[in-house]
Amino acid sequence: MGAVLTQHTAWPYAARAVAALRAAGLLGPRRLAATSAAALARAIRPAGTPRVKARRLRALTRWLLARTGGRFAPLAGLPLGPLRRELLAVPGLGPETADAILLYAAARPVFVADAYARRVLGRHRLLPRGAGYEDARRFVEAHLPSDPALFNELHALVVAVGKAHCRARPRCAGCPLRFDLRGRPPAG
Ligand code: SF4
């Protein structure tokens, strides 16, 4: 739910919507699927664009109910490539949202190559200028062990570096990754 609610929204606002869903008893897929789009949109208003996100939550929930009866655990045993393609076919789920669901809800070894990650990789010359989401995801997955716990922690650390240091104007002094620049300025 959080992966959808945080689209185009900072996490604290998405977290307020998750808390509202929990308080209303709507985090379970069957209850959520049985709730009208209008009532769902009212509950998730703190996350912004509530009608769009209500539609997306209902689409994801319908898919999950049809696929596994509403449980994420069985997704851990399905072939990853076809499963990712199925998720990407759910209306409103882009690569970043689908990969966050695969990593955090299904414990699959997928790297969430969000804007923070692409910025750090680009500035450290690990990706060419103009590289996109899939380039970054494939690069990281090809160079690290296929371990969900590793990708989980790496994503959290990259987000922390991105928020504290690798902003629109990089603050390399004091950044834990500055050693990797080897005295060169960040690329880009
Ligand atoms: S050292 Fe500079 S370019 Fe590298 S991640 Fe930190 S802030 Fe970004």
Side-chain angles (χ1 to χ4, degrees):
M1 298 299 111
V4 171
L5 290 167
T6 199
Q7 291 175 330
H8 312 295
T9 305
W11 175 249
Y13 299 106
R16 283 169 57 189
V18 171
L21 286 176
R22 181 175 286 116
L26 294 178
L27 275 185
R30 291 186 197 284
R31 282 287 308 277
L32 194 150
T35 303
S36 72
L40 191 55
R42 278 195 297 278
I44 63 172
R45 195 178 301 278
T49 58
R51 282 186 296 183
V52 172
K53 289 180 179 175
R55 275 202 303 277
R56 292 176 179 178
L57 284 181
R58 284 162 60 83
L60 171 60
T61 303
R62 279 197 297 270
W63 174 82
L64 190 65
L65 284 168
R67 196 68 174 80
T68 66
R71 299 188 311 127
F72 281 103
L75 301 183
L78 297 176
L80 182 54
L83 175 61
R84 187 171 188 266
R85 285 194 287 280
E86 275 189 53
L87 269 174
L88 289 171
V90 175
L93 298 199
E96 188 173 327
T97 306
D99 289 341
I101 292 168
L102 287 170
L103 177 63
Y104 291 113
R108 304 307 299 266
V110 174
F111 183 66
V112 182
D114 62 12
Y116 291 120
R118 298 199 299 278
R119 177 180 276 173
V120 171
L121 290 168
R123 284 177 172 168
H124 284 250
R125 299 173 175 81
L126 293 168
L127 287 177
R129 185 187 292 268
Y133 182 95
E134 291 299 331
D135 301 311
R137 179 182 69 79
R138 286 201 198 96
F139 175 84
V140 172
E141 291 178 6
H143 286 84
L144 290 175
S146 192
D147 177 355
L150 176 70
F151 289 134
N152 193 321
E153 182 170 8
L154 177 61
H155 181 237
L157 292 172
V158 167
V159 170
V161 160
K163 285 183 172 171
H165 300 282
C166 209
R167 304 160 75 120
R169 186 186 294 266
R171 301 174 176 176
C172 298
C175 177
L177 297 182
R178 67 187 182 283
F179 74 92
D180 186 56
L181 291 172
R182 298 179 178 86
R184 295 183 296 177

